[in-house]
Amino acid sequence: MTILNTILQHQIVAILRGFKKDDVPNIAEALYGGGIRLVEVTLNSADALQLIRTLSIKYENKLQIGAGTVLTVKDARKAIDAGAKFLISPITDTEVIKTAVDNAVVSIPGAFTPSEIYTGYEYGADLIKIFPSQSPEYIKSILAPLSKIPVMPTGGIGLENIKAYKIAGASAYGIGSSLANNMEEINELYLENLTARARQFVDIINEK
């Protein structure tokens, strides 16, 4: 199965931003226990490249590890060298898209307007991150004329509204603090709750 197919199958990308390096492996394990198979480590986190490298090796064939907040070609190349299987950006940069495509890495640029979404897809992006996601209604409106473009709304998605995004037609979901919150103390109880919360998200996605 290709990485893109894995993303489209499992759909939920857990965003890890700003966690302490030593906590991340335990967080990844807790997410895996809850059914998450896709993890994004943002490049504006401490030791991000080392974390991508470590997680990619430790969880090979279990978790697909990608890089987030990829803003430049230099960022993209460093992330790919570290083992990132997908690159996620908050912006549409055609050179970053090209770098991902040229290296057989899944490209997920960020876009908001129809023009940005279409441009990113035409330049070879595999999936478009809708950022900020605004609302399920916005996703539905976007997909009315752009139904062939798979989108991943990101920002503000929680247990209370992810089903509405699913109904609106989203293909995947970037989920940050409503899943893994870096403002809480990372202890055994946190990890147990994280696994349970991940399972809730996964169960909603898998509902027929």
Side-chain angles (χ1 to χ4, degrees):
M1 181 180 294
T2 68
I3 300 302
L4 178 59
N5 285 340
T6 299
I7 294 172
L8 295 176
Q9 176 183 340
H10 293 286
Q11 300 180 41
I12 296 174
V13 179
I15 303 168
L16 302 187
R17 184 191 307 275
F19 288 96
K20 294 179 181 177
K21 179 178 69 172
D22 292 343
D23 289 327
V24 170
N26 290 331
I27 292 168
E29 188 70 33
L31 289 167
Y32 182 80
I36 300 297
R37 297 295 179 262
L38 307 159
V39 171
E40 168 193 344
V41 178
T42 67
L43 293 186
N44 58 349
S45 299
D47 301 301
L49 293 172
Q50 183 57 51
L51 284 171
I52 291 169
R53 185 174 289 108
T54 298
L55 294 176
S56 296
I57 294 170
K58 182 176 182 180
Y59 292 101
E60 185 179 8
N61 300 323
K62 292 176 66 178
L63 287 172
Q64 301 300 334
I65 309 300
T69 319
V70 180
L71 300 176
T72 65
V73 170
K74 184 178 180 180
D75 287 341
R77 288 173 176 162
K78 286 182 177 180
I80 293 167
D81 287 344
K85 297 296 191 296
F86 53 91
L87 303 183
I88 301 180
S89 304
I91 59 171
T92 302
D93 185 296
T94 57
E95 289 303 311
V96 170
I97 295 171
K98 184 176 186 299
T99 300
V101 172
D102 288 348
N103 288 275
V105 171
V106 173
S107 172
I108 311 176
F112 183 70
T113 68
S115 293
E116 291 169 345
I117 293 166
Y118 186 78
T119 296
Y121 196 66
E122 282 294 291
Y123 271 88
D126 298 286
L127 184 66
I128 304 296
K129 168 183 172 178
I130 307 299
F131 179 77
S133 59
Q134 291 289 311
S135 68
E137 290 74 20
Y138 182 70
I139 300 302
K140 183 178 180 180
S141 296
I142 286 293
L143 290 178
L146 300 175
S147 59
K148 293 183 179 180
I149 300 179
V151 300
M152 184 179 82
T154 302
I157 298 176
L159 290 170
E160 73 286 351
N161 63 8
I162 190 169
K163 186 172 183 179
Y165 277 100
K166 177 182 176 181
I167 293 170
S171 296
Y173 314 84
I175 304 178
S177 59
S178 63
L179 179 55
N181 189 343
N182 64 17
M183 300 303 291
E184 300 178 32
E185 180 183 356
I186 312 301
N187 52 32
E188 186 175 344
L189 179 60
Y190 174 95
L191 296 172
E192 289 176 359
N193 289 337
L194 178 57
T195 295
R197 194 158 55 246
R199 177 56 62 190
Q200 287 180 286
F201 276 105
V202 171
D203 286 347
I204 293 172
I205 289 303
N206 289 334
E207 286 177 358
K208 298 300 182 183

